[in-house]
Each structure stands twice: as structure tokens, then as C-alpha cells.
Amino acid sequence: MAGYTPATASDQAEMLAAIGVSSIDELFEQIPADIRLNRELDLEDGMSESEVYRFLAGLADMNLDAERIPSFLGAGMYDHYVPAIVDAITSRSEFLTPYTPYQPEVSQGGLQVMFEFQTAMSEITGLPVSNAGLYEGPSAAASAAYLAMGQTGRTGLVASRGLHPHSRETLATHAVGFGATLTEVGLEGGLTSADELEAAVSEETAAVFLQNPNFLGAVEDIAALGEAVKARGAMLIVQVDPMTLGILRPPGECGADIAYGDGQPLGNRLDFGGPSFGFFCAREEYLRKMPGRIAGETTDVDGRRGFVLTLQTREQHIRREKATSNICTAQALNSLAGMVHLAWLGKQGFVELGELLARRTAYARGLVGSLDGYELLHDAPVVREFAVRSDRPVDELLPLGDQADGPAPRLPVYPLGRDYPEYEDCFLVAITENRSVDEIGWLAHMLEHAQAGWGEHIHDHDHEGNPVAGALR
Amino acid sequence: MSATTLTETPQQADRAKTIYEKSVPGRRAAQLPPLGEGINETPIDELIPAHLLREQPAELPEVSEPEIIRHYNRLSRRNFDLDTGFYPLGSCTMKYNPRLNERVAGLPGHAKLHPATDPSDAQGALQLMYLLQESLSEITGLPTVSLQPSAGSQGELAGLLLTRAYHDDQGRNPTKVLTPDTAHGTNPASVTMAGYEVVKVATNEQGGVDVEDLKSKIDDDVACLMLTNPNTLGVFDENIAEISSLVHDAGGLLYYDGANLNAIMGQARPGDMGFDIVHVNLHKSFSQPHGGGGPGAGPIAVSGRVEPFIPRPQVVRNEIGDEVFFDLDYDRPKSIGRLRGFQGNFGVFVRSLAYILSLGGDGLSEASRLAVLNANYLKQRLSEGRAGKYLPVAFDRHCMHEFVLSGAPMKKDLGIKTLDLAKRLLDFGFHPPTVYFPLLVDEALMVEPVETEAKSDLDAFAEAIESILEEAEGDATVAQNAPYTTPVRRLDEVGATRKPVIRQQIA
């Protein structure tokens, strides 16, 4: 076994003698004999560090990650460039290895990070209060629903079909426990149908969930949609992609009561889906009903500035069954990564990145939309992702090459069919600052071949015949 | 030691400043790539209507990269961490976080893999998840594992929603969930979120479930009993077989809070004790770093009768001819659905599987044995001298991986509370144990010394406690006003709650 335990045989003998028992087995006698395992676990024997490394590196090599193929996958998680300082800071033992800051005198670093994070998230969402983070996006939707039901005393939840399918499914799962009903509102021209929304909201509606940009990439007019919500006294809850908030009107200025989302685009790697972090911002009046940890500024007995976990009477360890949420361990290290990335982008860079995404996406959208066999699913404005309809079924489209010679890698775009049967012939294309003009050209060329047939080779060049360095590495 | 205010160095004076307070207009760190040849610098309001656009940029700090590094490095030094010192936080299993795990989790094949990658291009990741499912199944003694829940509390909620789905499927609608009064706070909070009513069960003199009280509360309206075993007092409930039959006979399920699994790996399995649903904290027993409050992961293991209801998608291993293909199975009609996005905290799965592979079955078993040895040794050390006098163990018998002391005599005889002792420990370079939990022990201190601590560390901790108590016999005010050597001293938490300042005010 690995050398993670210091106790030598003589240590053990001394310790057993001090305890007054003759063996470790004796300490386990409190477990009734008939439920003891009495055999070794049926797992492989322990391996050396180098063997474990090689085994897990071997599994990693079987994955087609975003360094091996230009990835246009999005759907809530994006291949942004994570600056090197994020890794440098999050890998420090002082941030990596402590527990939740229950002893504030020796946790000022982590607590101050939370305070800075709360400030930054509050700024980008335009809402006055933020918590220190939740698990991730869709479960933050469930937390928002729980708050809204408690606040309004109503049980109806309404969600646009533009809300991430994972968020809608997570809401549906939790609704069973919350005693809520979930109603969906359809899309028209890529955008939430204002008429359907108005019809769906009633005096029983606790909250309406919208997403901006929505799952099809379209920028919604949240303020306009929100009027029908407000008119019925329901809460307006908006899931946002934080990386678009450099340019989009923040939810706080669109009448949102709560804005939440997944923080992965901010400083977190893709990690096949997690861990990232969830964020949760709200209007002032909901402060004492927020889920999760909140850091607050205070002073110590010598008058020095310091930070503590505050408003803890909301939380499970104090309030138990009456808590505003059951969350305990969240994703603090991931929130730190988000904060460092935001500081690195800074006030100007955050705007510039949003502009870069919008311009590159407009270029890619124009290019893909002009290809034979493809058309845009909608022409609503977008920031960083767009939806495309294909003449050829998407299943047949994605393998890069004819499969006669064995399975071909798949073109990394997001097929919409599983989540939206009505868009079975459609897919999403996501753009980040990592997707160069050359790679966008490569995508266009792959799509042309995919529609028309592959011929003899998978080509490593773009639609104009120029080579694309690193395509399908 | 006296409470003098030290003159601060520039670093110290600077440290309490936030990154916002270091912001200077015009400074920046990020350099973005050029837009690209052929792409126009179209005004944004020609792409997106102006009324949907932000008018004022968000107030983010304006700082250069060296300033960012310096700022966060200085902040980091204001944290106590496990790599620096003993961290016997009860119920939290603060064991060493192997650096190999960080290395493998950071490989691009894991770290840069998009979660929506087609399964045919993610066979390594799916196989990794399948191996972890199989390993946790063997460790817990239950046939099926879902890795999806993000941490323990989400695992609990998942388990309770599974309980509901299981009863619904049988046409039953029980309304109550039993939890011992020693339970973690997440248990009752999760019960409420799952739409159940909490019914508390009393604890007996041995720290286990009071079986008579349990009997009086069991009826066919009980959906489930949630239990931690060993419990939060560090005691293994030897009546577990009887408890299990009582609940099952009434039609209820048994839920196991796996926070204390580190005591029994390879020794006993929740499945063999009769539990139907178990959550496992990968950030406790399986070495995922705690990160100052996450990330973790809270996979659940379930019995056969609960299996149809587990969250989807589930990683499955299919054999097609002689080809093995790992896939995501969404076709689970009785599933409770999703608890979160995508497939769970995969980065945590990589680390925990690395840990399981490093230790192997024999090593996991040995880890639990040494955790229990360490706990009993430290308990013994703390039963001697002044600690034995002022801090009696709450339940005096062999413990499992942790034990609970009561500071009540210390408070009465010396005038120092458990909180004072905890704060004074900070001056001695130790992280204090969990304090004031479990609730039924007056002035509780819950100590979990874990297997990765050396005997010399345990001895030093016991000696520190002895010194503090001796010091308090002479002058209680020293502990009462502690700590002195930390970056800040006791903080005004009441004031922070009364007038919350939870963000920077930016002029």
C-alpha cells in the first residue's frame, strides 16, 4: 500500500500498549461478528505511484479532449483558456487542503476570497447580494426554486424550454420533494414565446425560470418577458452564462429577483462536467433566505479588519430541518478559480472577451449558415453559441469520415435531438477565444464534407484549402 | 503570552486589503488573442440590439498579473491548512491529499474533456467512472452506485428522493423520516427538502440508537431511517441488525450517511448491515482535497430494490460481440432524473480512483484500522492528566475513528469554555477539533485524528491540550482571550450578522 500512513510496527505496538489492548482487531470487536466482513475487499492490491500514474494516463489517452481536436461543444461548459495563474494559486496547499472556514482566525485567506468573489459576482449580475457559491448550475436552479416557494407560499414553477435541459430536469427531480409542479413554455424563432409565457403564469406561480442567452444561444429580452411574471407576483429567476455578462445587460437590470448559473467558464477546466461552481445572486430582500455560505466583513477584538462566515442561522448545521438549504461542502476552490480568472480579465478584459466572442461567433455563424445543406435554426441575436439545422440526419453527420475503416471520431458539436425531439436535425456550435479563425474554417470544411460525403481522406485543412495546424491532433 | 498589538510589516498591513482596493484604473493582466483575419470589428450593437446590452462595464478589479499573484499568495498565508499541521476536525476526515491525484486529474485527457463528448470519444473517462462505481460497490457492499451527487448533502437528498420513488412505486406514501438526535445537520435539512417530516430518535447510554424509543416511533408511516454508523459520537451501533429489521419490517428503508465510512473500510459494509442507500463522501474517506469548502462528491450506493430509481444517466459497460463499450444510459424510465448537470464531479472521481488504486483493497482496510488505532490512542492520551479530569470522554468505551469529549467540567472548574480551548489551540499551531457538535454532548469537542497522522503528532496535540489546561488553572483569561498569534484575533460575528457587509462598496 502507498506510504500515506506513518505508523510503524513499533509505533503500533506502543499505541496498543497504551490503549491496553493486544491488537487492532480487539478495537473492532464492537462491530458484531455477524456483520463483519471477515475477508479482504475484492479490489486489486495497491499499486506504486508510477503504476497508478501510467494506468490513469492510459485512460486519459483514450479521450478525445479539447487539446486533441478543436472543440465546438458548449451547452453550458466551454473550452475557454484558463490562465496559468489560476492553477498556480488554486494548487497552493493553503487553498487546496483546508476545510470549510469554521475557525475564522486561521481562515482569513479563504474568507476574504469569498468576500471578493461575492463582490465580483454581484457586480457582473447587477444584483446586490451574492453567496460564496453552490455546487454548479442546475442544482442552483433547484435552490432558487426552494427559496421562491418559501418566499411566495406558492407551488407553481414555470420554465422556458430555453432553460438548459439539465436545469429543467433537475427542477423536475427536486419538484417531487418540494411539492411543486413544473410547467414548460415553448420557444418561437429561438426565443421564449411571450404569449405562452403569459398564459402559463398564474397566481399559483412561485417563479419563472428563463435563461440568457438561452440554450439555443439566443439573447432573450428578459425585461420584456419579465413583465408578465411580475404582474402575477411571481419571482423572475434567470440562469446566466457569466462569460456573456461583459456585454449583455445584467439580469439585475432586467428585473430578475435571482440570477444563478454555472461558473465553469470562469477559470474552471472542463473536467468532463465537474467540479465547477454554482453562483447565486439576489435582490437585497432575499439575503436571509439565501442558500449556502456567505462571508461578511467585521473586526477583531483589536479593531483589525477581518472576515467571517455570516448569517449562519440560515444554514443546516444551525437550523437543521428549517434551514434554507441542505448544502454543506460546496465548491470553494472552484469559486476561487473563478475569482482569479475575473481579476485576470479585469474590468476591461471582461468586456473585450465578451466582444471577441460575439464577433467571432457572428463570423462562424455566417460561415456555417452559408454552407450547402445547412441553415440557421433561428436568426435571433447570439453571443457565443448558435443553432444549425442540417439536411442530413445529425447522427450520420458527426463521424469524421466514413466508418468503413472502424469508428471515426465525432465532430465536437452538440446534437440537440436528445433534449429537443423537435430539433432532431439540429446541433449547437459554441465559440471561445480558443477557437481561432483557422479552426472555424476547419469546422466549416468538415461540415461540408459531412454533408456531401468524405471521399478518401479526412482533411486537415479549412474550407479554402489552407492547412489548419493541430486540427485533429 | 500577552495580547500586545504587534507593529505590522508592509505585508501584514497590506493583507487585509481586498483586490478591489488594489485596483488602479488602466492596469490589466489579460492579453486576449486577436480577433482573427477576416473577422470584422463590428460594433456590438449591430450584432445585438442596444437595449439588450450592458451600458456600464461591471466593476472588476484593474490589476496586473504580478499583483494578482502577490495578492492571493499573501491571502493564502492567512489560512491554516492540512499540509501545514494537524487538523483533527471530527466528522470531516482530514486525511492527507496525495499529490499524485492532482497530477493525474490535471492530465488534458481528463481535465480538458468536454462533458458532452460522444461516449465513443470518451471511453477512458467512462471506464474510469465505471471502475469507481465498481470499487465503491465492493466497499459499501451494495450492488449499484450512482456517482452523480455533488457532495454528501446532495447524496442525502438523492437518497431521500429515491426513498420517495421506491414507496410511490409500491403505491405507498409514508411521510416521516427518522433521524437520531446525533445526526449531522444536513440530514434533517435534506429530509425537509425531500418533503418529509423529521422525527427524532433518542440516543441510548452507549451512544447508539435507543431501540425502545425507535420501536415507539416506528409505524407504516415511516419512509426511512437515516443513520450514521459509527455515529457522530464515534460509536458503532451494535444493535444495527435489530434496528435494520425493525425498519424493514415496517416497510421503511435504511439510509446510511457515509461521512464516517473511514472507520470501517474493509471491516464491515453498510450493505451487510442492511442499509439500502449509502452516500459516500469522496472528499472524506477517499482523499479529495477539501479546497476550503469543496469541491467534493457524494456518490450513492443502493440495494437491488432501489436500483431502478437511481439518477440518470448511469455509466454502463456493454459487450457488443467481443468489443467492450462504456456508455451513458439515459433509458431508465423509473429514474428520479437528474440532481445536477452532466455526469457529476468527474475531476473528483479521478482523484478518488487514484487513491483507491494506490491503496488497494488491503490498503483501504489498513487505513481504517490505523484510523481507529490513532483515535483510540489519542483518546487514551486525553484520558490522562488534566485532560482526563476536565475533558472526560462522552462515551467511555473503545471508539471507532473519532471520539467526543465534553468540556463541561473544564467550563465549570476552570471557567474556560470549549470555544476558548479551541481558540487557544490555534496559538499552539493546531486546528481545533469540531466544537459544539454533536448537540447532545455539553461543550462537545469531536476529535478525528485520521490514519495519516504520526504518533508524534498525536502526542504533541495531547501535550498542547495539557499545557492549555495547566495554564488555565493558573490564569483562565489567557485562553478566554485567545488566540494571539493568528492573523486576526477573535472576530465580532454578532456584529457581522446584525449589519451584514457582504460585498465591497465601490465608489
Side-chain angles (χ1 to χ4, degrees), chain B residues 76-373:
Chain B
S76 79
R77 294 181 182 199
R78 312 190 84 198
N79 276 353
F80 184 91
D81 67 286
L82 174 61
D83 283 351
T84 299
F86 188 40
Y87 214 127
L89 202 56
S91 229
C92 300
T93 312
M94 297 297 285
K95 66 168 70 178
Y96 173 64
N97 310 131
R99 286 309 190 277
L100 163 67
N101 305 359
E102 298 305 309
R103 176 176 282 180
V104 290
L107 291 169
H110 299 310
K112 296 196 175 177
L113 183 62
H114 193 283
T117 302
D118 190 279
S120 61
D121 294 325
Q123 285 294 292
L126 295 173
Q127 186 178 341
L128 189 153
M129 290 173 70
Y130 185 80
L131 286 172
L132 183 59
Q133 287 174 190
E134 293 289 291
S135 303
L136 295 176
S137 167
E138 169 64 9
I139 293 163
T140 57
L142 286 161
T144 307
V145 171
S146 164
L147 298 176
Q148 196 181 90
S150 310
S153 70
Q154 204 176 70
E156 289 172 17
L157 184 58
L160 289 158
L161 293 171
L162 291 174
T163 300
R164 185 175 278 285
Y166 165 80
H167 290 302
D168 274 357
D169 194 54
Q170 300 197 331
R172 298 183 64 234
N173 186 24
T175 63
K176 296 189 295 200
V177 171
L178 305 178
T179 63
D181 45 16
T182 53
H184 297 116
T186 51
N187 289 180
S190 299
V191 170
T192 306
M193 292 183 80
Y196 284 118
E197 182 196 339
V198 178
V199 177
K200 284 182 200 160
V201 183
T203 297
N204 66 19
E205 283 172 8
Q206 288 77 42
V209 169
D210 181 332
V211 175
E212 290 311 310
D213 190 54
L214 176 68
K215 281 180 184 163
S216 75
K217 285 167 182 167
I218 283 196
D219 55 33
D220 61 5
D221 200 27
V222 169
C224 148
L225 169 67
M226 295 182 90
L227 215 55
T228 310
N229 197 21
N231 63 24
T232 54
L233 294 163
V235 171
F236 193 91
D237 201 319
E238 54 203 13
N239 298 321
I240 186 62
E242 184 186 359
I243 294 167
S244 169
S245 327
L246 283 171
V247 175
H248 282 152
D249 289 349
L253 296 179
L254 246 75
Y255 183 94
Y256 182 95
D257 177 333
N260 293 345
L261 191 67
N262 205 49
I264 58 164
M265 295 186 296
Q267 312 300 320
R269 308 189 302 172
D272 300 336
M273 300 175 207
F275 286 94
D276 297 283
I277 307 169
V278 175
H279 86 253
V280 178
N281 301 82
L282 295 185
H283 47 295
K284 293 182 178 174
S285 308
F286 298 96
S287 83
Q288 159 70 24
H290 281 79
I300 47 175
V302 302
S303 61
R305 54 183 170 164
V306 179
E307 185 274 339
F309 311 102
I310 60 166
R312 65 184 170 215
Q314 174 72 355
V315 177
V316 291
R317 181 182 187 276
N318 293 328
E319 288 183 30
I320 305 159
D322 50 4
E323 295 274 306
V324 173
F325 188 78
F326 294 93
D327 206 354
L328 289 170
D329 181 14
Y330 291 85
D331 186 18
R332 302 189 59 84
K334 290 187 174 181
S335 168
I336 58 167
R338 280 185 176 279
L339 295 143
R340 53 159 294 155
F342 295 108
Q343 289 85 237
N345 281 343
F346 177 79
V348 178
F349 307 154
V350 180
R351 293 175 178 86
S352 290
L353 185 64
Y355 179 74
I356 289 170
L357 294 172
S358 296
L359 268 66
D362 50 344
L364 290 172
S365 179
E366 184 72 358
S368 283
R369 292 167 62 82
L370 294 175
V372 170
L373 176 66

Side-chain angles (χ1 to χ4, degrees), chain A residues 105-119:
Chain A
E105 297 87 350
V106 290
S107 310
Q108 286 300 296
L111 286 161
Q112 185 172 328
V113 168
M114 290 180 181
F115 183 81
E116 294 178 358
F117 171 88
Q118 289 163 196
T119 306

Side-chain angles (χ1 to χ4, degrees), chain A residues 13-87:
Chain A
E14 279 180 50
M15 293 161 83
L16 288 169
I19 298 164
V21 293
S22 57
S23 69
I24 296 179
D25 287 335
E26 218 177 311
L27 298 172
F28 281 93
E29 280 172 7
Q30 59 185 302
I31 303 181
D34 57 344
I35 53 166
R36 261 186 266 162
L37 186 58
N38 294 320
R39 65 166 173 83
E40 285 291 322
L41 286 169
D42 185 16
L43 298 172
E44 301 288 326
D45 286 343
M47 293 196 273
S48 66
E49 174 161 343
S50 54
E51 290 170 306
V52 175
Y53 178 84
R54 287 172 65 107
F55 177 75
L56 291 173
L59 290 181
D61 274 349
M62 295 165 67
N63 300 324
L64 197 59
D65 63 78
E67 287 201 348
R68 294 171 67 193
I69 190 166
S71 180
F72 295 87
L73 286 164
M77 294 217 169
Y78 302 90
D79 176 35
H80 284 289
Y81 182 75
V82 177
I85 55 164
V86 170
D87 293 347

Side-chain angles (χ1 to χ4, degrees), chain B residues 88-91 232-233 402-404 433-435 437-438 444-448:
Chain B
L89 202 56
S91 229
T232 54
L233 294 163
E402 66 187 359
F403 57 93
V404 177
T434 295
V435 293
F437 186 82
L445 280 132
M446 187 188 205
V447 189
E448 182 181 4

